[in-house]
Amino acid sequence: MMRGRPLAVRLAVLLAGVVVVVLLAAGVIVNRAASRSLEEQLGPREQQRIGLAVAIVQGALERGDDRGLPLLLRRIADQTGGEVRVVGPGGDVLHRSGGPPLHGDSETISTELSPAVGGGTLELEVPSTQAPILRAFNSALVVTGIVAVAALLVAATVVASRVTRP
């Protein structure tokens, strides 16, 4: 394929190919490390959020506060920017407030409700906190990779042509 091309061009293309492979591997490794780091940092905050919501909802359910519960659920939905569901032990939705997040990815966080209030689960469908950060991070990696490959092609072409000059 490259047999008729000058040695300088073949060397430049080979060098660029090696760098592209190295940059792709580094990008995948860095992306995975960043994802893990985000999960470790954002996970406890999400657990704290669901823990507070569960305590509030369980308190209302224990009091039998059927009129106040929808207001509490609406407030939690407004605060989280998503949807809150109280799901019974049989899987049927007993109470719902809010709606799925409008923009971007969402994630569902759920936890079991106490048997003292009849069991079931409390589910929060909230906007994903990781997706926008990872998208920006990946965009920065792609732009950096493109700039690095372009700079490498220029440098490789110059060096290869000087090395192969008679």
Side-chain angles (χ1 to χ4, degrees), residues 2-128:
M2 299 282 296
R3 291 235 182 257
R5 305 270 182 221
L7 181 60
V9 172
R10 290 187 287 177
L11 283 173
V13 169
L14 176 67
L15 250 130
V18 168
V19 168
V20 166
V21 169
V22 168
L23 284 174
L24 284 173
V28 167
I29 291 168
V30 168
N31 182 286
R32 291 211 175 143
S35 294
R36 256 182 277 136
S37 176
L38 279 172
E39 286 173 8
E40 290 170 2
Q41 288 185 357
L42 296 176
R45 194 173 87 197
E46 296 303 318
Q47 290 303 321
Q48 188 176 29
R49 180 189 295 184
I50 188 87
L52 180 60
V54 166
I56 292 169
V57 169
Q58 283 190 151
L61 289 170
E62 286 173 358
R63 289 188 307 273
D65 189 2
D66 290 337
R67 290 176 43 191
L69 184 61
L71 179 62
L72 286 171
L73 294 178
R74 190 173 323 117
R75 182 170 246 179
I76 293 169
D78 290 345
Q79 291 290 320
T80 61
E83 181 177 26
V84 182
R85 296 179 293 271
V86 177
V87 181
D92 50 324
V93 177
L94 304 175
H95 301 280
R96 174 180 293 186
S97 188
L102 298 175
H103 303 291
D105 300 325
S106 67
E107 56 187 277
T108 301
I109 306 167
S110 63
T111 191
E112 298 293 319
L113 293 172
S114 163
V117 297
T121 57
L122 177 69
E123 297 177 350
L124 295 175
E125 186 175 349
V126 295
S128 175

